[in-house]
Amino acid sequence: MYLDKTSIVIVDDHSIVIEGLKSLLDESHLNVLGHFTSGKEACNFIEKESPDLVLLDINLPDVSGIDLCRTIKAVAPETKVLVLSNHNERNIILQTLQNGANGYMLKNVSKQALLHGIELVMAGEIHFCGEIRDIISRPTKYELGDTPHLTKREKQILQMVADGKTTQEIASQLNVSPLTIETHRRNLHHKFKVKNVAELIMMATKHRLL
């Protein structure tokens, strides 16, 4: 299985949730390095251990999970962050993604859906459960603006970026130089007025281009 040997840290303010997640992950032969109910303690551990993935709740007693996500990305840039929360407010979802989250799922997802989400995030994709995808794909007219005009090649590269492919992988598949792909990616960021891949995918989803 792809997830074998994936190291995970769980951060949630409810011990019973942690116990349930740990049991589920243990059954799936995943390596739970640690689990925490406070953000500060979790962040210190994550900075030291650099786990592959953090399952992060938004509600924590000492810090917002939204802010903690940004901090985790600063101290452990290679660590993926998958938010697992009961919050389905659109502004919270968007703020978390802007702070570097690699995915957002609700706690009512099934075991299979959670494991699938973890697998996709670890494969480099930005993943949302179905309900979250529906929420972020229904922007107001003010937020949406005009749909950017994309060339055929830009649409192709946008889809490959959304699939989690790296610049090198895209260049190899399209038989062009990585510099050419980087130019297309910069153009996509400019056209969508975004700063990173998560925002790009989010905006492309809003415009129903993915």
Side-chain angles (χ1 to χ4, degrees):
M1 186 178 180
Y2 181 86
L3 295 178
D4 282 356
K5 299 182 180 178
T6 298
S7 57
I8 297 179
V9 168
I10 304 168
V11 187
D12 195 289
D13 65 332
H14 288 103
S15 296
I16 192 168
V17 172
I18 289 176
E19 290 174 12
L21 284 172
K22 188 175 183 304
S23 176
L24 182 155
L25 297 172
D26 285 343
E27 288 175 5
S28 303
H29 307 292
L30 294 172
N31 178 22
V32 179
L33 284 183
H35 45 85
F36 303 91
T37 55
S38 72
K40 183 176 180 180
E41 187 179 9
C43 193
N44 291 337
F45 182 85
I46 291 165
E47 182 175 11
K48 179 181 177 182
E49 299 294 337
S50 294
D52 296 320
L53 176 74
V54 175
L55 290 179
L56 177 64
D57 191 12
I58 295 299
N59 282 341
L60 297 171
D62 58 340
V63 65
S64 164
I66 299 171
D67 295 330
L68 182 59
C69 180
R70 181 176 61 241
T71 303
I72 291 171
K73 286 296 182 176
V75 301
E78 299 303 315
T79 296
K80 309 286 188 183
V81 177
L82 176 56
V83 175
L84 189 62
S85 174
N86 284 323
H87 285 284
N88 61 359
E89 295 89 346
R90 195 164 181 275
N91 66 314
I92 289 177
I93 298 166
L94 298 185
Q95 286 180 62
T96 309
L97 293 172
Q98 288 166 359
N99 283 353
N102 301 91
Y104 200 112
M105 303 185 75
L106 296 177
K107 287 183 177 178
N108 63 3
V109 296
S110 67
K111 171 183 175 179
Q112 290 75 18
L114 176 60
L115 292 175
H116 182 60
I118 292 173
E119 188 166 5
L120 291 176
V121 166
M122 291 311 303
E125 296 191 29
I126 305 295
H127 178 69
F128 315 112
C129 64
E131 187 174 338
I132 295 300
R133 184 173 291 277
D134 288 343
I135 291 168
I136 65 172
S137 67
R138 292 196 302 265
T140 64
K141 291 183 179 180
Y142 173 78
E143 289 178 305
L144 189 55
D146 295 329
T147 298
H149 174 72
L150 304 184
T151 65
K152 183 177 179 180
R153 179 49 61 92
E154 285 172 342
K155 290 178 181 177
Q156 187 179 22
I157 292 172
L158 174 62
Q159 184 60 60
M160 296 172 82
V161 169
D163 289 340
K165 295 186 183 299
T166 65
T167 292
Q168 190 65 47
E169 288 170 338
I170 296 171
S172 176
Q173 188 168 333
L174 298 182
N175 198 28
V176 298
S177 73
L179 182 60
T180 298
I181 300 303
E182 282 296 337
T183 299
H184 283 303
R185 293 182 71 147
R186 282 197 299 273
N187 288 342
L188 285 168
H189 284 204
H190 176 72
K191 287 184 176 183
F192 283 98
K193 299 177 182 179
V194 298
K195 298 178 182 178
N196 55 50
V197 171
E199 290 181 4
L200 175 63
I201 294 173
M202 185 170 61
M203 288 303 296
T205 300
K206 287 180 183 179
H207 287 280
R208 304 190 184 282
L209 294 173
L210 290 174

